[in-house]
Amino acid sequence: DGGITQSPKYLFRKEGQNVTLSCEQNLNHDAMYWYRQDPGQGLRLIYYSQIVNDFQKGDIAEGYSVSREKKESFPLTVTSAQKNPTAFYLCASSMAGGRVEQYFGPGTRLTVT
Amino acid sequence: GENVEQHPSTLSVQEGDSAVIKCTYSDSASNYFPWYKQELGKGPQLIIDIRSNVGEKKDQRIAVTLNKTAKHFSLHITETQPEDSAVYFCAADRGGADGLTFGKGTHLIIQP
């Protein structure tokens, strides 16, 4: 069954702690993306990666970090430097290039108190 | 960079009526315009997309129109059904850079 998995679905952390969100895909896609979604807002691009060992900042990269050591995996770390980390985080993947369909995972809802 | 505006933020229609959601974009280099449907607590799913070489595309009850000169595109849903209730997002490619720029979404409510 091909697709994108994100884990966990719900995540709770104390303020000041770093937390890593998992994203795995078995679609053999080259490109992967992380978006943040807040109530009443669209999806905002955090980071994206076109190939293994390479990634670029999106519109709101401050306070986040990523790695792309394997084609299938693109974990996102929310650091303590992120001022408002509570949000719904969505991972997506696509074939190479920006003008193609992106497939989204089910999302992780992160709550930081 | 690209900026995408979407209207309305909430749309309530009677079951069986049509619904129209409109978006404008700013970057004339954008050529790909997808529409996503998101149900509560889930990730968005592509429902239809259009590229700049066509002005309209249909898939059963769903259609999208594109006016590149005016930089706007619209989603049309006919004969709405209860399962159409969801949040709909328009998006545009980022003019050559990877990733998409999304509108803020439209909450579509189908009244029985």
Side-chain angles (χ1 to χ4, degrees):
Chain A
D1 190 20
I4 301 179
T5 56
Q6 291 185 245
S7 60
K9 189 164 180 64
Y10 299 95
L11 192 53
F12 298 88
R13 279 294 182 271
K14 295 290 187 186
E15 198 172 315
Q17 293 179 336
N18 291 356
V19 59
T20 297
L21 282 59
S22 168
C23 177
E24 303 277 332
Q25 54 98 0
N26 61 4
L27 300 169
N28 199 33
H29 285 164
D30 289 305
M32 296 187 75
Y33 313 83
W34 275 105
Y35 293 91
R36 169 181 172 139
Q37 186 175 22
D38 296 284
Q41 300 291 319
L43 284 65
R44 292 182 290 166
L45 185 64
I46 304 172
Y47 269 99
Y48 62 97
S49 168
Q50 300 177 47
I51 56 173
V52 173
N53 293 323
D54 187 48
F55 47 83
Q56 287 78 42
K57 294 180 179 180
D59 299 322
I60 56 165
E62 185 176 347
Y64 300 97
S65 66
V66 294
S67 63
R68 185 85 188 276
E69 298 176 2
K70 297 186 301 181
K71 187 176 183 177
E72 303 78 23
S73 179
F74 191 39
L76 173 75
T77 297
V78 184
T79 75
S80 56
Q82 168 51 232
K83 290 181 171 48
N84 296 296
T86 295
F88 189 50
Y89 290 89
L90 287 158
C91 178
S93 71
S94 74
M95 294 172 63
R99 293 169 173 167
V100 293
E101 178 180 359
Q102 292 186 14
Y103 294 78
F104 283 85
T108 292
R109 186 166 300 280
L110 173 65
T111 303
V112 177
T113 56
Chain B
E2 177 69 281
N3 182 49
V4 176
E5 300 282 342
Q6 182 173 347
H7 299 280
S9 57
T10 303
L11 178 60
S12 181
V13 301
Q14 290 293 126
E15 183 179 347
D17 287 350
S18 296
V20 180
I21 303 170
K22 298 182 179 182
C23 289
T24 60
Y25 62 98
S26 61
D27 190 344
S28 57
S30 294
N31 282 314
Y32 175 65
F33 307 93
W35 285 89
Y36 285 84
K37 176 183 180 181
Q38 186 178 29
E39 297 177 348
L40 193 62
K42 297 183 178 180
Q45 281 195 305
L46 181 77
I47 54 171
I48 195 167
D49 56 13
I50 191 167
R51 297 184 187 275
S52 59
N53 57 342
V54 297
E56 184 175 4
K57 184 177 178 181
K58 288 183 180 179
D59 182 4
Q60 300 183 329
R61 297 187 296 110
I62 295 172
V64 57
T65 58
L66 171 65
N67 183 327
K68 279 225 75 173
T69 304
K71 296 201 193 77
H72 66 72
F73 56 113
S74 300
L75 177 71
H76 304 253
I77 305 175
T78 59
E79 300 173 11
T80 52
Q81 301 170 3
E83 54 265 35
D84 295 329
S85 293
V87 179
Y88 292 81
F89 292 97
C90 62
D93 72 88
R94 296 155 70 86
D98 278 349
L100 298 169
T101 298
F102 285 81
K104 291 189 176 182
T106 296
H107 185 194
L108 177 62
I109 301 165
I110 308 301
Q111 303 277 8

